[in-house]
Structures are given as structure tokens and as C-alpha cells.
């Protein structure tokens, strides 16, 4: 592969000319990727990496069918949507066919951010309400309007929460307010939204929308409990608001069983507005908002034209259509289910083995590994996660860490990810975690511990660590105090048990 | 004259096959810059599509090469780039950069401005918010520096200073209310406002007032950048060698139709933004394919000398249109630079009342003649020309000839209507044209 600049020069030029807010992965040792195919990326030396991060390359990097479709159309016409053209209407038709019947009107944009901004405009125009309920740790995009509703962003910066934004607790049953041991976390979390609505209304405010990623990605691969969205929808609509499902990260069959992640919650849950992006064009800048006729009509009745220069152009539409075709022809949804299940199984076995793994959660090819320093307290293992990321990179596996504490390893690879890839990834992870835990163990062993009470409990605890389905041992007393040495002993024990 | 073979290269694809024979249309407006489906641009996109198209969190040569090439077209200070997908995204980021850098919130814009469709940009686009969402308290509108239709016209001794003083007045009143200016936002050549060419010296004066108040100058080049004005690569450069905006936004023609856009700014502004500690990540912005496309467009502009071409064809077009103006009273003003031209249609020479309905009718007649033109300006009466840069002298001649014919026809119709109205019997006796022939008509 012939490079224009040496890696060093590329980095230097980047420092000179690219906004410093634009970060690179592995900042301490960035990688230069020059080529990619399917689920593999290649650096300037020709080293191959397994890509577990790029959900954007949905059907596989540089998929020939998608590349062909783009070329074919680029040679013929690429202009704006003010002219009639077959591609845009065909694409809208195909997209609408994947969604519940009421969601039938499409607006094409170029990015998930543009889509979410338009979704807000649609929601606000609908009844003239202004306020938005968003989830904690949500990320909906980089535009001004979206930073305002993305606690993931505004909590970090100097931005202050706006008064028309209301933040509901994220329905995270591992680390959130109501956990897996709660009788009905879905209702409990939905009631939080109800409370917010009531408080807002008491202050004379009006809810325009509730917006949520169908599964939070930046928030740490969070899968809301079943029933949550239905209840929330009831409360929000009762207040005259609409429900926006942000599928930008997780749409297009990633969860395997369904095309859209919100569909996991049942046929009785239909958002009013759905936004999509990222995987839509396999890397080509395409995004879309789909909504109901009613909302669309209210928007057009304002008299304001909506024109997006590039949105819905023939090339983007051709690319989008090609992606839909590949998802279907290659049964990528089926693959996501099969490989995803297998991957989660392997990871749960790892969880039984490594105390650093606090939780494994996921559906299809959307998986998160929550690393903790202490299983009881669920203290995020932030530094450890960073360490793991870098070590995995050395082992030629690309992973990233997210969540508010940057401790959740996120896996959302191209949908052509195979069982072999899953096994490879997990084997590397196993090795890295083992070494890491030994190092931590070695560190703590040099400290003189108060370990007598722990030793007597050891035999009872060891089997619980080996529970392969990952569920916490019901006999485990949550109030029990364990010192760090105890936390490490099981891993040494399990190492001895490992064959 | 024009370069070799240029007249053969029309601005729209021509496929003479198939039962439904497609008609050739001459588009005179749109985001395509070097010509629809330019083979070099298509090739660059295709080649890169086959190799890698991923995000900017990995090092890659294309993005840094593109940034470097762009920096060479700009004044030295503007050397830091952010890549995005649309002009709207670019303007939104420009707003964020300005606010972060200055610590201020308010924005001064020009009347009838249009900066994009995002929530934040509707707020700063009088073209959009007037009569709809309404003006926000942090938005302040200065008069459009329109020397044909604005408060200071071609007969004013120094319209640049006069219009700049209006901005100064706006800034002062903002400060009196205890508010602070983050930015002055303006399209380098307001397009939606009616193909306006701000008088030379206006921007430097405005920049002075704005910077004194602690704000920055944002030049929106989305419609007009990349050599369109012929004389310069960037339209803001028309305002003087010494004039350097703090932030420049680019889009539309940058990728010849591929969704690319960019914000260029100074190191100081970029560093202030970084200091927030919040990452800026744009999923598709700066991707290897988008940058390959951007680079290809720069290459074509250079190789085919499209900037010089725009200057040449642009002045020819203006000349032809000038002749039409002398001939047709409906043409109130011809203004333009390079391939950015506006034809201001009026009902009355003294009042300069926009000929809105006539403009609309004219556009539909042109369409019947396979010429795509649109109108803009608050009176929807300005024919706007901003064709692909490969627009030829022949194309210009052809369009103007059609325009002439249609306008002549329209005038005849109007005269017969007048005649019918005044003297219904007389109209039956003599042909209206002979009766009403204009003494100063020029035929060519």
C-alpha cells in the first residue's frame, strides 16, 4: 500500500491542520489504517486488525455491491431532491416497509445529528411544545441543539443543562438506580419519567418529546428492560408529547431478531419518530427521519420548506438501497443472532473466570462488557478498561471503551463478524485479562491483608464464580464486605481449575 | 475564448438511448461545481470506496492532505480544519466555535440571510425565521448591503461604510442591553437574499466593529467558494487582500455533490474549543472517501482552470445580460462576479418593485425551453445564475438568447393586454408590436 506520508508525518500534519478537538483512538499510540475489507482493517505496515468497533461498516468494509451501486449512480446523476427521481422514492418505500405502518414519511439527511435535529423540530412543531425529556448519559449528536439534550456531552463540558431539558435516569439495570434485583425496574424507571412530566407540568411547561437511543451506546451498551418504553410512551403521549427512538447506532438488524432495536419491546410499542444513520450507507453519509403522516403534515403546515442539499440524492439513495439488499441477501440479521449468541456465551464463560468482568450484556451483535474493580460495589474499572483496549490492540483486536466511566468494552462490529472472529476476540481478551488480574493480584499480595474471614468463605464463593450463565449467585449477600485480596483469590483459584 | 472542447461538455448528462429520450437541460444553479458526474471525481470516489471508508479517529493520509491543500488556498491564519457533511453542520459548528472562543452568546446577521436548516441556524436566518419562528432575543439583524434595493444605493458616496455603520449601530445597541456579541455571520455573497455583491470595504469595516466588541467574523462561503467568483478562490477575498475572517465555512460545491463540508479557522479559535475538554466527533466527516472527493475537485478546478474560466464566462454572461437590460425594462439590475450572477426583475424603474409573478412565469417558460433557473431574493424576483463551473460561452449565449426571446414575447403579450384594455377596437386594427415599438431597442 503506497502511502503519501509516513505515519509520523501524517500525525504531524494532523496536529497542524485538524482541529484538536477531533480525537484519535489510542491517543498514546494512534493507528494509521489504510485499507479495510469486511470486518478487518489494515494498517500502513499491512498488519491486520479485527474490527469490533465499526458498526458504521454495517455490511462489511468496502462491500463490493455497495461500492458498485455507488459507482453506477455517480456516473449518471448526483443532484438534489428538488427534482423527481426514482431512487429516493424507492428507498423511502423500502425503508417504510421495514417499519410499523404508521411510520411512513421519510426525510433524508446526511448524518444522524442532522436527523435528530430534524426530529426535534418535528416534535416541537407538532403541538408547539418545547420541552424534551432525555436520558442520563445519552448522546444524540454534535449539533448545538443535540448537545443540549445529550448529558453525555453537556455534563463533560462547561455547558449547563437548559431549563427546557429534563434528564431521566437511564434504565440501566446493572449500574442504575433500579437494578436486576428490583421487582419491576421497567415500571420504576418509567415512573421516573412520569414524575418528571408531572413536575414540568406543575411549572407550566409542556413536553414536546421523550427521546432515547433504543439502546444506549455511549452510555455503556445499555439495554432498557422490557416494558419500559411502552409505559414511558403512555406518560409522554398523555402529556401531549411524542416519542423519538434514536436508532442511529443500533438499527438495520443489529439486534438480530428484529430490524429495529425498538421492536424488541413488542408490537405494542411504536415510536412517533424514528431516526437512523451510521450503518445506513455502510460509511456513505446517509441518515433519515421517519415519522407519521400526522407529524409530517403539522410540520409542512408551518409553511417552512425543508431542504437538505445532499439529503436523498440519487447516489446516497442507491447506496442505501444496496445496503438493504445486502442485509437481506446475506442474511446478516440471522448472522447477528447466531454469532451474537455465541459471543455472549463465550463472554459469560469469561465472566465466570475473570472478576474484572462485572456484567456481560447484549443482544445480537451489540454487546458490552462492564469491567469492575469490585463486583459487589460495581466500581467501574476505568484504568483497567483502557489498559485492556491497548493490550487488545497489540493483539490486533480493535475495541473501544465507553459508558460514563469509560469502563464498558463495546462490541458492535460489522455484521459479517463470524464465530471464528468471536472466538479469536474472546481468546485474546481472556489472555489480556488473565495477565492483568495476575498483575493486580501481585500488587495486592504485597500488601498484608486481613484475610482470615475471607478464607473461610472461599469454598462457598468459588462455585458461584463459575456459574456459566452469568447470573449472580442468589446466595450472595449484597451487604457482605470483601477486601481486595478476596476479590483476587477466586481468579487464582479459577486459574488452577482451568484446564 | 473558452478552452478546447468546453462547449461540447454540457452541464448535464446526455443519454440518447431508450424509448423515453431524456431531454438535455441546462442547469443554471445547484451544488455541483466542476460539472455533473465529472469522471475524475467519480473515479477518485470509486477508487477510495474500494479501499477504505472509515472515520477520522484513525490516522489517514487523505484528511491531512486535503486539509493541507485547503490551507494553501486560504490566508495563512486559517489553517485548522474540521470536516463535516453539510453546510448546515459547518455553520452550526462555526456558531459553537465562536461562542466558545469569545465566551459570548449573541449573533449579528444580515437581513434575508440563510445559513441552513438546523434548529440553531433557522434562529440566525431571517430568510427562515421571519414570519415563522420569530426572532430570538440573542439574534440581531443588520440591513443587507444591497446597493440596488437597500437603504444605501449606487448613488450613495460610500455605501460600504454606510452599511458597516449600520452594523456598528446594531452592535452598540446590543451592548447597551448588556448583551455580548459572539459573532457576525454573513454569506460572503448573499445568495438567497438576491445574489447580492456587498460593496468592497464593507467586510473589513464590519470586522473592525465586531472584533472591537469581542466577537468574531464568520464568512459563510457555502454557496460561493471554490473559485466561483473567478477573480479569487474565496468570495471574501473580493473584500480586500487584508481581510481575513476568523472562521470560514464551506460546503455545497466542495464535493461536486458528495456530502462534504468544512470549517476553517485559526489556531486560537481551535484551541479555545479544545479547552472545553469535549471531543468533537463527526461520524462521516473527513472520511477517506470524502477527502478523496474533495481533493479530486481541487485537482479538477486547477487542471481545467475553472476559476479563470468562471471569470471569462462570467464577464461574457454579464455583458450579454447588460445588453438585455438595455433592451428589456423588466430587467432592473444585473449584478454578479464570475459565475455568480443575479438578474433583478422589476415592475417599475423608479420604485424598483420586484416583478415576482413575472419572474415566476419567466422561470416556467425557461423550463419549457429546457433551461433550469430559479429565483430568489425577498421578492422572489431575482433570477439566480450559479451554474456548474464548466458552463461555457455557448451555454451563456444560448440562455441569454432564450431569455431575450421569452422576455420579448412577454412584453408583447403585456402590450397587447394594455392595448386591449385601453383601446379594444384599435387592437383589432393593427399589430401591437408595430404600434408600441420601443425607440431604444437594440437588436443583435
Amino acid at each position: 500500500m503506497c502511502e503519501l506520508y509516513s505515519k509520523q508525518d501524517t500525525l504531524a500534519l494532523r496536529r497542524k491542520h485538524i482541529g484538536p478537538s477531533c480525537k484519535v483512538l489510542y491517543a498514546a499510540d494512534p493507528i494509521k489504517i489504510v485499507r479495510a475489507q469486511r470486518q478487518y482493517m489494515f494498517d500502513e505496515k499491512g498488519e491486520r486488525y479485527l474490527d469490533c468497533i465499526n458498526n458504521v461498516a454495517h455490511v462489511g468494509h468496502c462491500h463490493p455491491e455497495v461500492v458498485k451501486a455507488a459507482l453506477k449512480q455517480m456516473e449518471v446523476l448526483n443532484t438534489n431532491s428538488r427534482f423527481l427521481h426514482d431512487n429516493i422514492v424507492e428507498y423511502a418505500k423500502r425503508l417504510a416497509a421495514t417499519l410499523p405502518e404508521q411510520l411512513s414519511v421519510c426525510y433524508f439527511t446526511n448524518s444522524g445529528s442532522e436527523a435528530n435535529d430534524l426530529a426535534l423540530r418535528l416534535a416541537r412543531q407538532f403541538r408547539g411544545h418545547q420541552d424534551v425529556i432525555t436520558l442520563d448519559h445519552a448522546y444524540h449528536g454534535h449539533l448545538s441543539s443535540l448537545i443540549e439534550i445529550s448529558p453525555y456531552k453537556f455534563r463533560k463540558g462547561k455547558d449547563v443543562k437548559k431549563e427546557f431539558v429534563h434528564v431521566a435516569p437511564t434504565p440501566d439495570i446493572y449500574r442504575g438506580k433500579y437494578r436486576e434485583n428490583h421487582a419491576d425496574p421497567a415500571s420504576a424507571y418509567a415512573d421516573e419519567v412520569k414524575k418528571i412530566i408531572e413536575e414540568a407540568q406543575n411549572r407550566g411547561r409542556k413536553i414536546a418529546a421523550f427521546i432515547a437511543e433504543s439502546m444506549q451506546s455511549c452510555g455503556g451498551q445499555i439495554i432498557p428492560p422490557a416494558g419500559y418504553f411502552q409505559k414511558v410512551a403512555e406518560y409522554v403521549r398523555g402529556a401531549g408529547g411524542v416519542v423519538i427512538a434514536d436508532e442511529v447506532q443500533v438499527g438495520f438488524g443489529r439486534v438480530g431478531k428484529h430490524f429495529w432495536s425498538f421492536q424488541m419491546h413488542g408490537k405494542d410499542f411504536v415510536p412517533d419518530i424514528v431516526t437512523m444513520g451510521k450503518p445506513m450507507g455502510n460509511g456513505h453519509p446517509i441518515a433519515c427521519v421517519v415519522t407519521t403522516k400526522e407529524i409530517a403534515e403539522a410540520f409542512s403546515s408551518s409553511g417552512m420548506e425543508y431542504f437538505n442539499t445532499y439529503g436523498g440524492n440519487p447516489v446516497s439513495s442507491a447506496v442505501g438501497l444496496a445496503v438493504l439488499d445486502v442485509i437481506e441477501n446475506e442474511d446478516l440479521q440471522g448472522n447477528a443472532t447466531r454469532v451474537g449468541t455465541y459471543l455472549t456465551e463465550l463472554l459469560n464463560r469469561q465472566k465466570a473466570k475473570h472478576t474484572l468482568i462485572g456484567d456481560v450484556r447484549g443482544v445480537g451483535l451489540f454487546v458490552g462488557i462492564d469491567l469492575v474493580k469490585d463486583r459487589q460495589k460495581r466500581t467501574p474499572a476505568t484504568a483497567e478498561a483502557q489498559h485492556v483496549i491497548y493490550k487488545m490492540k497489540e493483539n490486533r483486536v480493535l475495541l473501544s471503551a465507553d459508558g460514563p466511566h469509560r469502563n464498558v468494552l463495546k462490541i458492535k462490529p460489522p455484521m459479517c463478524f463470524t464465530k471464528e472472529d468471536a472466538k479469536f476476540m474472546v481468546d485474546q481478551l481472556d489472555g489480556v485479562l488473565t495477565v492483568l488480574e495476575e498483575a493486580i493480584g501481585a500488587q495486592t499480595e504485597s500488601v498484608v491483608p486481613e484475610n482470615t474471614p475471607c478464607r473461610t468463605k472461599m469454598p462457598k464463593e468459588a462455585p458461584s464464580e463459575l456459574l456459566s450463565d452469568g447470573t449472580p449467585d442468589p446466595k450472595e449477600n449484597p451487604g457482605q464486605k470483601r477486601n481486595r485480596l478476596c476479590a483476587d483469590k477466586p481468579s487464582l483459584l479459577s486459574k488452577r481449575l482451568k484446564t | 475564448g473558452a478552452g478546447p472542447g468546453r462547449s461540447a461538455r454540457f452541464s448535464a448528462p446526455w443519454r440518447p438511448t431508450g424509448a423515453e429520450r431524456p431531454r438535455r437541460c441546462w442547469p443554471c444553479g445547484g451544488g455541483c461545481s466542476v460539472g455533473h458526474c465529472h469522471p475524475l471525481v467519480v473515479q477518485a470516489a470509486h477508487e477510495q470506496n474500494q479501499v477504505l471508508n472509515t472515520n477520522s479517529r484513525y490516522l489517514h493520509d487523505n484528511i491531512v492532505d486535503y486539509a493541507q491543500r485547503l490551507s494553501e488556498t486560504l490566508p495563512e491564519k486559517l489553517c485548522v480544519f474540521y470536516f463535516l457533511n453539510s453546510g448546515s453542520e459547518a455553520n452550526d459548528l462555526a456558531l459553537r466555535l465562536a461562542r466558545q472562543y469569545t465566551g459570548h452568546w449573541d449573533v449579528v446577521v444580515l437581513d434575508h440571510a440563510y445559513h441552513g436548516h438546523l434548529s440553531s441556524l433557522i434562529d440566525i436566518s431571517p430568510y427562515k425565521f421571519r414570519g415563522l419562528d420569530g426572532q430570538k432575543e440573542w439574534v440581531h439583524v443588520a440591513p443587507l448591503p444591497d446597493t440596488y434595493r437597500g437603504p444605501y444605493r449606487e448613488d450613495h458616496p460610500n455605501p460600504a461604510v454606510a452599511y458597516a455603520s449600520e452594523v456598528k449601530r446594531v452592535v452598540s445597541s446590543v451592548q447597551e442591553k448588556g448583551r455580548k456579541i459572539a459573532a457576525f455571520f454573513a454569506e460572503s455573497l448573499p445568495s438567497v437574499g438576491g445574489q447580492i455583491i456587498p460593496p468592497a470595504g464593507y467586510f473589513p469595516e464590519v470586522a473592525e466593529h465586531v472584533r472591537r466588541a469581542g466577537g468574531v467574523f464568520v464568512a459563510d462561503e457555502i454557496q460561493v467558494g471554490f473559485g466561483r467568483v473567478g477573480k479569487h478562490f474565496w468570495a471574501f477575498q473580493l473584500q480586500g487582500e487584508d481581510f481575513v475572517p476568523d472562521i470560514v465555512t464551506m460546503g455545497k460545491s466542495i464535493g461536486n455533490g458528495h456530502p462534504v463540508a468544512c470549517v476553517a479557522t485559526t489556531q486560537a479559535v481551535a484551541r479555545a474549543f479544545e479547552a472545553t475538554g469535549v471531543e468533537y466527533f463527526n461520524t462521516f466527516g473527513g472520511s477517506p472517501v470524502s477527502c478523496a472527493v474533495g481533493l479530486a475537485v481541487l485537482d479538477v478546478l486547477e487542471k481545467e482552470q475553472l476559476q479563470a474560466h468562471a471569470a471569462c464566462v462570467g464577464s461574457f454572461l454579464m455583458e450579454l445580460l447588460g445588453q438585455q437590460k438595455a433592451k428589456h425594462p423588466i430587467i432592473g439590475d444585473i449584478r454578479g462576479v464570475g459565475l455568480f450572477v443575479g438578474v433583478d426583475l422589476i415592475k417599475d424603474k423608479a420604485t424598483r418593485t420586484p416583478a415576482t409573478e413575472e419572474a415566476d412565469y419567466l422561470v416556467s417558460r425557461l423550463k419549457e425551453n429546457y433551461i433550469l433557473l430559479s429565483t430568489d431574493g425577498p421578492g422572489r424576483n431575482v433570477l439566480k445564475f450559479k451554474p456548474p463551473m464548466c458552463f461555457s460561452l455557448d451555454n451563456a449565449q444560448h440562455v441569454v438568447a432564450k431569455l431575450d426571446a421569452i422576455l420579448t414575447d412577454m412584453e408583447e403579450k403585456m402590450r397587447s393586454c394594455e392595448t386591449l384594455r385601453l383601446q379594444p377596437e384599435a387592437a383589432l386594427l393593427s399589430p401591437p408590436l408595430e404600434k408600441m415599438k420601443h425607440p431604444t431597442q437594440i437588436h443583435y
Side-chain angles (χ1 to χ4, degrees), chain A residues 352-356 373-376 437 440-445 447-462 464-465 476 480-494 496:
Chain A
K353 187 179 169 190
H354 298 286
T355 50
L356 264 175
K373 288 196 218 274
D374 180 322
R375 280 200 173 182
Q376 203 78 295
E437 279 163 355
I440 295 172
Q443 272 176 17
T444 54
E445 263 175 7
V447 175
V448 179
E450 293 276 318
N451 57 13
T452 321
C454 278
R455 283 220 174 96
T456 54
K457 287 187 183 105
M458 205 56 67
K460 253 196 272 169
E461 281 167 8
S464 78
E465 298 292 12
E476 244 184 275
Q480 221 168 31
K481 218 183 142 191
R482 297 158 70 185
N483 69 24
R484 271 193 85 205
L485 185 60
C486 289
D488 298 320
K489 281 283 189 211
S491 71
L492 294 174
L493 181 65
S494 58
R496 268 183 260 134

Side-chain angles (χ1 to χ4, degrees), chain A residues 173-184:
Chain A
I173 56 173
Y174 178 68
R175 198 178 286 292
K177 199 168 172 184
Y178 310 109
R179 299 185 178 187
E180 72 282 342
N181 53 4
H182 188 282
D184 186 2

